Amino acid sequence: MIAKVPLDSGWLSGKYGASSTFTGIRSRWSEAEIRERSEFVQDVRKIIGDNQSMASVALQYILSFDAFSSVIPGARNSEQLRQNMSATHKPLNGRIKQQLHDLYETKVKQLNLNW
């Protein structure tokens, strides 16, 4: 499988939060969805800490599953491209992977978010 939109339309890049406003296609998100996504991002940050790139960890998480052969994260500049590529060079810590999986199972799975 190939993961499309692995950074959840930018949320898992860490650049959006509860006070973010959106135009274009992202304006489809309701206030409730923005709040839920913001809470999810905060939960991810608590798991991975402040010293790791949220985007890199998101890509590492996806690629840690044998079913995925590739991801399509997109990049706006060469720095983002380098960061995305660097995520493929090291495996995700097993403890972090388990905590992220648990977060998905307990909070994210039941959400009906407009992707």
Side-chain angles (χ1 to χ4, degrees):
M1 289 191 295
I2 299 172
K4 181 181 173 191
V5 196
L7 301 180
D8 187 23
S9 298
W11 281 96
L12 290 174
S13 69
K15 67 181 179 179
Y16 300 137
S19 62
S20 296
T21 57
F22 301 95
T23 59
I25 190 132
R26 288 177 174 91
S27 66
R28 72 187 183 278
W29 296 323
S30 69
E31 287 183 29
E33 287 173 314
I34 292 170
R35 187 175 48 258
E36 288 172 330
R37 279 186 161 85
S38 176
E39 290 171 8
F40 169 66
V41 167
Q42 291 173 23
D43 291 339
V44 170
R45 179 57 65 200
K46 287 176 191 172
I47 292 170
I48 70 171
D50 292 329
N51 296 327
Q52 294 194 68
S53 159
M54 192 172 296
S56 291
V57 171
L59 299 177
Q60 289 169 335
Y61 181 77
I62 293 167
L63 293 171
S64 73
F65 293 92
D66 292 337
F68 288 95
S69 60
S70 186
V71 294
I72 305 173
R76 289 186 180 252
N77 55 52
S78 58
E79 178 55 34
Q80 287 179 356
L81 176 61
R82 278 191 291 279
Q83 183 181 17
N84 292 345
M85 291 174 55
S86 73
T88 66
H89 298 291
K90 60 181 178 178
L92 182 61
N93 172 288
R95 180 184 54 79
I96 291 175
K97 179 180 177 179
Q98 185 61 52
Q99 289 177 327
L100 292 172
H101 178 75
D102 293 346
L103 174 63
Y104 171 78
E105 288 293 329
T106 59
K107 285 186 96 173
V108 179
K109 189 175 183 178
Q110 75 272 4
L111 295 176
N112 187 23
L113 296 175
N114 181 0
W115 298 102

